[in-house]
Amino acid sequence: MIIGHRGVAALAPENTLSGIRKAAECGLNWVEIDTQLSADGVPVIFHDDTVDRCTDGEGKLGAFNVSALKNLDAGSWFDKAHTNESVPTLEETLSFCVDEGMSINLEIKVYRDAQVAPLVDAVSAVLASSAFPAEKLLISSFSKDALLRCKAAIPQCRFGFIADKRNISDLHAFDDVGLYSVHVDHRMLTPELAKEIKGKGYILNIWTLNESEKADAFIAMGVDNIITDDPTLFIPKQPEDARCQRPSVRSVQGKFL
Ligand code: G3P
Ligand code: MG
């Protein structure tokens, strides 16, 4: 199965509602999005530590109150056609995804250890007060502390550990509590690691694969889901369907982290 990365980052401004809608138009059921806290403690959907790359503002995301974030233009950096795009809150994104029929892989994005407790507590509170169905949600993080705290707060949710070369040794921390999935940087996945993860009974996801010719080899290793910026590389195009064409992908190549 294909999961859109940051919405569908190659086709629409990342981590925006129009990106999620574009994913739905491409026939996807799942999007991966990132959440962090505004200065006034509201979980918002945003990837970077600063607003510099993906808005017309400057400075740390966490220094902006949500009202100030809402005044930023989060779309025109990608394409002028998205000029009025704003940074969505988690709450409005959950509601939007219910309307769009989309499921969410919500990454708890931690840049500093001190962010873990306030972010997880705020995210857990929003999720607990939301009617968003648990079966349409998968919470993930590179931070084992964030996952373990979140798992304690909302045990009914499914959890995925995001692994790269820096933190793969933390995988054993979940041996007692269990996980739903492990999300591995595709550049480091080997048949041995895939076997270890599948042997623990976990779903195996990879990120961020934008080379469709490599998909079969990963599937042969046991990969269950591929997280990609551009699902059109993996899904046969409907020639008569213009909604899923790539508007300006050349102009934004190289801007993804
Ligand atoms: O969730 C997988 C992937 O999104 C992790 O990397 O930096 O794009 O959040 P990043
Ligand atoms: Mg992410």
Side-chain angles (χ1 to χ4, degrees):
M1 189 181 74
I2 300 293
I3 299 173
H5 183 231
R6 308 183 195 171
V8 275
L11 306 179
E14 64 184 56
N15 284 319
T16 63
L17 299 185
S18 69
I20 296 171
R21 176 166 288 138
K22 178 65 78 177
E25 288 172 356
C26 289
L28 300 190
N29 295 317
W30 282 83
V31 283
E32 186 266 359
I33 53 177
D34 307 282
T35 190
Q36 304 183 61
L37 278 191
S38 66
D40 47 348
V42 177
V44 297
I45 305 303
F46 205 81
H47 178 275
D48 293 3
D49 192 28
T50 75
V51 300
D52 300 18
R53 182 177 63 94
C54 291
T55 76
D56 58 347
E58 279 181 19
K60 296 270 192 195
L61 180 280
F64 286 76
N65 285 337
V66 72
S67 58
L69 284 174
K70 282 291 177 191
N71 285 329
L72 298 180
D73 171 357
S76 63
W77 69 275
F78 181 88
D79 190 307
K80 293 292 176 213
H82 289 281
T83 297
N84 292 321
E85 203 67 46
S86 69
V87 175
T89 65
L90 174 59
E91 191 176 8
E92 66 193 10
T93 303
L94 293 172
S95 167
F96 184 81
C97 285
V98 167
D99 294 344
E100 293 286 327
M102 292 298 282
S103 298
I104 301 174
N105 171 196
L106 183 66
E107 180 183 343
I108 298 178
K109 182 58 82 184
V110 174
Y111 286 99
R112 288 167 287 285
D113 290 345
Q115 294 172 322
V116 168
L119 175 57
V120 168
D121 294 354
V123 167
S124 303
V126 169
L127 292 173
S129 67
S130 136
F132 197 78
E135 69 274 13
K136 283 178 166 275
L137 183 66
L138 169 59
I139 296 172
S140 63
S141 187
F142 285 99
S143 164
K144 77 171 164 40
D145 294 339
L147 286 176
L148 292 170
R149 189 179 181 99
C150 206
K151 209 165 160 46
I154 41 174
Q156 69 275 21
C157 283
R158 294 181 293 189
F159 292 89
F161 175 58
I162 308 175
D164 64 11
K165 282 187 174 165
R166 295 167 298 177
N167 73 344
I168 185 65
S169 60
D170 286 342
L171 181 58
H172 70 86
F174 300 95
D175 285 350
D176 293 336
V177 294
L179 282 168
Y180 176 76
S181 53
V182 180
H183 306 202
V184 181
D185 180 345
H186 78 274
R187 296 167 296 186
M188 67 170 283
L189 187 65
T190 60
E192 294 72 31
L193 178 57
K195 194 172 173 191
E196 180 189 344
I197 291 166
K198 299 296 287 186
K200 290 175 188 277
Y202 302 147
I203 294 289
L204 174 56
N205 299 337
I206 53 169
W207 54 273
T208 302
L209 186 67
N210 294 325
E211 297 150 290
S212 58
E213 67 278 9
K214 294 185 177 173
D216 285 347
F218 284 119
I219 292 164
M221 284 187 212
V223 166
D224 296 289
N225 301 295
I226 294 170
I227 300 174
T228 181
D229 292 315
D230 189 351
T232 65
L233 299 173
F234 297 85
I235 299 171
K237 277 192 187 130
Q238 304 293 317
E240 72 282 5
D241 184 354
R243 293 174 304 173
C244 207
Q245 286 174 359
R246 306 163 73 190
S248 58
V249 66
R250 282 198 182 78
S251 69
V252 296
Q253 270 172 358
K255 290 192 181 177
F256 308 121
L257 287 185

